[in-house]
Amino acid sequence: MPPSEESPEALIELLKDQHSPWALPPGCSPQDQHLREMAVLEPKLIRGSNVFRVLKSLRIVDKGVEEVDEGLLQLEQLEELILSANHISRITSANLPRTLKVLELCCNAVADLQDLCAQPPPELQHLGLGYNRLCGPSQDKFLTAAFWPNLVSLDLSFNNLTDLLGLVSQLSSLEKLRILVLKGNPLALIPTYRGFLVDSLPKLSVLDDIHIGFDERHQFLGLARQPELMRSEARVVVSVGDMKGVPDPSTLQQLADDSGFPVITYSYCVTYEFVEGEELDNGSSTEVTKIHQSPEVATLDADSSAQDTGETKSQQDPAATEEPKASSAKVFVTPGKPWEDTIDYSYRKEHIVKDLMRLKSYLAAGTIVSVVEEKVLSWPVEADPEENTDTNKKAGRGQQMDGAKGPARKDKQKKKKEKSCELRSDPPIRRTLGTRKVTLEALLATEDLVTTLCDFGILITEQPPQPPSVEEKLSPQDKKKSKDKSKNPKAESKSQAKRKASTSAKGKIKKKGSSVLVEGQGLQPVPLTVQFQMQLLRWPPAAGTQSQESMATAVGSTQ
């Protein structure tokens, strides 16, 4: 060795020293360290194309790769190939090294497995195809032991597989399969999905990243022999609990005149979007009606439905912010409730969806929850013109007969008064108080329940108009008299005393009527909130299934 060159031992120390300029950056694999040591100890092995014979793992993530060509065959010892988050739509198995044991193609655009299964690597143990575009049942036939005899782990999550029976019949031939991931597919929304797989694949150890225990196998024992239970449909229960933070409408009401009309009534409802399907009526499902009956569901008009914006909107005209909705979405409405500090809806409705692909798209996009206020003005029913004419003609005669027919006259007036109390209602005026987007992607994974507290923020209410002052009520003649009185000091002092007395009296009345407002000035405003829950039903149901009553506790713990 020339004296100017360092020994291999000294070079190895430089590679291992963290402060050395030749040290590897943090996060490098052991193979990177091994290659650097080999470059010091056996530099001839990594010169030119010899390095391809040494590589056992190749990771190319999010580099825009679109195709795997024959150049990969130069890696004669390659065992692990990770090509996640690229743009690969088709992969030819003839270009894959035969030594490959791990092939990860997650987050690509693979829609067909035919080319991959032409000459698949015989020793492959893990195949990752999650987050691709596989659609069944045409792709199920490529997932058998004829193509993957040594497959131990298979990831097919978040594709578009819908045929659970057909897929299980093919996967049952994979005798070495121990790990299976199917969450995120439409077939995973079927109530008996997990139980059917656990019983159909007895050698499976992990399903959807959850270990399969002995108790679970015993619970689902025999389910594989009941294919009639495998209906291709999903059942989803939507629940709405308490709503808080709605301003008291009585503080904003003002009478049109002293007659007390119109009579204004307010009601509040919660709307949510759901994919079109079947809804169970009251009493048709004991599971739903066991806690309380499901109220009737109707749809709002186009100008009062929720807007899919993903942001909170307060006190806006729905027609001004309306956006076109997807044809698959339908708006459901809870029954209207009068104002209270805490409005308890106790709403629960079960939806049956047979289009699993549409349900998956809906859950991935989320739903829109809105609070709608309905205002109705009621007026007295107007009397018939003929009746008014006859009344005017008989007015004189009636006055003369008051003494003789006093009680009868009073009864007639009482009946007329009762008749005049009949009210007619104007068409309801609807206003959206708030809109919020609720994320439901967790239902596509391993979660069966999404519970959230929709916070629409603090509503800013308009202040009721102040009554006119005493000076504004005075007529021009009264104003002139007041000017004349001002010239006389004694008269002016008397008028001031009267004004003070009247002002103090009115102040007492105002203080008495607005005591709540005065006391509430120091209170913090309460935001408008609604408890919202969506549950994906499973069979058999879990022992700890939450009820409507426990939803408030679950939501309160998240605050």
Side-chain angles (χ1 to χ4, degrees):
M1 176 183 296
S4 58
E5 293 186 7
E6 297 175 326
S7 64
E9 291 79 9
L11 293 175
I12 292 296
E13 292 181 1
L14 289 175
L15 291 177
K16 294 182 178 180
D17 187 1
Q18 297 180 355
H19 303 287
S20 170
W22 292 280
L24 287 172
C28 290
S29 64
Q31 187 179 2
D32 297 332
Q33 184 71 25
H34 176 68
L35 286 175
R36 292 218 174 187
E37 293 177 0
M38 187 175 294
V40 174
L41 300 175
E42 299 289 342
K44 294 181 180 180
L45 294 179
I46 62 171
R47 289 178 181 174
S49 60
N50 292 331
V51 69
F52 297 140
R53 301 175 183 176
V54 180
L55 287 175
K56 291 187 177 182
S57 177
L58 179 62
R59 179 185 178 92
I60 306 176
V61 178
D62 196 16
K63 300 298 181 182
V65 178
E66 297 181 359
E67 184 180 0
V68 177
D69 56 21
E70 61 276 4
L72 196 63
L73 295 175
Q74 299 180 50
L75 306 177
E76 299 176 358
Q77 302 298 322
L78 190 66
E79 296 182 356
E80 183 182 51
L81 177 60
I82 300 176
L83 298 172
S84 302
N86 285 290
H87 306 294
I88 301 173
S89 58
R90 301 179 66 179
I91 183 167
T92 304
S93 59
N95 297 332
L96 298 176
R98 309 299 290 173
T99 56
L100 206 60
K101 294 182 178 180
V102 175
L103 177 59
E104 184 59 65
L105 297 170
C106 177
C107 298
N108 278 279
V110 179
D112 193 354
L113 299 178
Q114 184 174 359
D115 293 341
L116 178 61
C117 294
Q119 299 178 15
E123 301 298 324
L124 196 71
Q125 298 178 6
H126 171 76
L127 178 59
L129 292 167
Y131 291 90
N132 277 277
R133 302 176 183 176
L134 298 176
C135 299
S138 60
Q139 303 303 314
D140 297 347
K141 59 185 179 182
F142 299 113
L143 301 172
T144 62
F147 303 101
W148 318 104
N150 295 300
L151 198 63
V152 177
S153 174
L154 177 61
D155 183 5
L156 297 171
S157 60
F158 290 90
N159 281 275
N160 295 320
L161 303 175
T162 57
D163 186 8
L164 182 57
L165 288 173
L167 180 61
V168 170
S169 65
Q170 303 297 329
L171 294 178
S172 58
S173 65
L174 301 174
E175 297 183 356
K176 296 184 178 181
L177 187 65
R178 299 294 181 270
I179 302 174
L180 178 62
V181 185
L182 286 173
K183 61 183 179 181
N185 283 282
L187 57 80
L189 302 173
I190 298 175
T192 54
Y193 152 76
R194 184 173 179 87
F196 185 77
L197 276 172
V198 169
D199 194 44
S200 300
L201 304 175
K203 295 182 179 180
L204 206 61
S205 300
V206 179
L207 176 59
D208 292 340
D209 302 324
I210 300 176
H211 177 72
I212 302 173
F214 174 80
D215 293 340
E216 188 176 14
R217 286 203 179 278
H218 180 72
Q219 180 186 14
F220 298 130
L221 185 63
L223 188 58
R225 296 189 295 272
Q226 303 180 52
E228 66 275 4
L229 298 176
M230 298 301 301
R231 296 180 181 178
S232 184
E233 63 183 27
R235 291 175 174 254
V236 181
V237 172
V238 177
S239 303
V240 179
D242 294 342
M243 179 165 66
K244 299 180 181 180
V246 179
D248 188 354
S250 62
T251 60
L252 303 177
Q253 292 184 17
Q254 58 180 16
L255 300 178
D257 49 36
D258 296 336
S259 63
F261 295 105
V263 177
I264 305 176
T265 57
Y266 291 87
S267 62
Y268 301 88
C269 63
V270 178
T271 72
Y272 65 93
E273 292 183 357
F274 196 82
V275 63
E276 289 187 1
E278 298 179 8
E279 300 88 38
L280 294 183
D281 296 331
N282 294 345
S284 59
S285 174
T286 56
E287 186 174 356
V288 175
T289 59
K290 185 176 181 181
I291 301 174
H292 48 74
Q293 292 184 347
S294 300
E296 293 184 359
V297 173
T299 55
L300 282 178
D301 295 336
D303 60 345
S304 60
S305 55
Q307 288 78 37
D308 188 3
T309 60
E311 299 178 355
T312 301
K313 301 176 183 177
S314 299
Q315 292 184 315
Q316 295 182 358
D317 184 7
T321 58
E322 184 179 4
E323 296 180 4
K325 298 180 183 298
S327 58
S328 60
K330 183 179 180 181
V331 179
F332 291 83
V333 188
T334 66
K337 296 274 188 175
W339 180 88
E340 290 184 88
D341 288 333
T342 300
I343 303 176
D344 181 15
Y345 284 99
S346 297
Y347 175 89
R348 181 180 174 93
K349 184 157 199 64
E350 181 174 345
H351 301 265
I352 302 176
V353 183
K354 295 184 178 180
D355 192 340
L356 299 179
M357 278 291 298
R358 185 177 293 179
L359 179 59
K360 177 192 172 182
S361 301
Y362 163 79
L363 295 177
T367 188
I368 300 296
V369 177
S370 301
V371 175
V372 177
E373 176 191 76
E374 184 174 281
K375 175 181 177 182
V376 178
L377 304 180
S378 299
W379 306 82
V381 178
E382 296 179 358
D384 295 336
E386 297 179 357
E387 184 178 349
N388 292 336
T389 305
D390 295 339
T391 304
N392 294 333
K393 289 181 179 179
K394 298 177 181 178
R397 287 181 291 172
Q399 290 177 358
Q400 297 174 1
M401 298 173 65
D402 279 345
K405 301 181 180 180
R409 181 69 175 179
K410 290 181 180 179
D411 293 341
K412 289 183 179 180
Q413 289 179 353
K414 195 173 183 180
K415 290 181 180 180
K416 289 184 178 181
K417 190 173 182 180
E418 291 177 356
K419 188 174 181 180
S420 63
C421 290
E422 296 180 4
L423 302 177
R424 59 171 179 84
S425 299
D426 291 346
I429 303 172
R430 297 187 180 98
R431 182 178 63 150
T432 302
L433 300 182
T435 299
R436 174 64 64 185
K437 184 174 182 179
V438 177
T439 303
L440 303 172
E441 289 180 326
L443 296 177
L444 289 175
T446 56
E447 298 293 332
D448 294 338
L449 181 67
V450 170
T451 301
T452 184
L453 185 68
C454 300
D455 190 342
F456 302 95
I458 299 173
L459 298 184
I460 302 175
T461 57
E462 298 178 358
Q463 295 296 332
Q466 298 295 331
S469 61
V470 178
E471 295 182 357
E472 294 176 353
K473 290 183 177 180
L474 292 177
S475 63
Q477 295 178 355
D478 295 336
K479 290 181 179 179
K480 187 176 180 181
K481 291 180 181 179
S482 63
K483 288 181 181 180
D484 296 338
K485 289 181 180 180
S486 62
K487 295 179 181 180
N488 189 352
K490 294 183 179 180
E492 183 178 0
S493 61
K494 290 181 180 180
S495 63
Q496 288 179 356
K498 290 181 180 179
R499 288 178 185 175
K500 287 182 180 179
S502 61
T503 303
S504 61
K506 289 183 179 179
K508 291 180 181 178
I509 296 173
K510 184 176 181 181
K511 185 176 181 180
K512 183 178 180 181
S514 60
S515 59
V516 178
L517 298 177
V518 173
E519 293 176 0
Q521 286 178 358
L523 299 177
Q524 295 295 331
V526 179
L528 177 61
T529 58
V530 173
Q531 295 173 350
F532 183 82
Q533 175 178 290
M534 186 172 291
Q535 181 181 6
L536 187 64
L537 294 184
R538 298 295 186 185
W539 189 89
T545 302
Q546 286 188 338
S547 65
Q548 180 76 17
E549 298 176 354
S550 64
M551 187 175 67
T553 305
V555 174
S557 62
T558 61
Q559 298 181 7

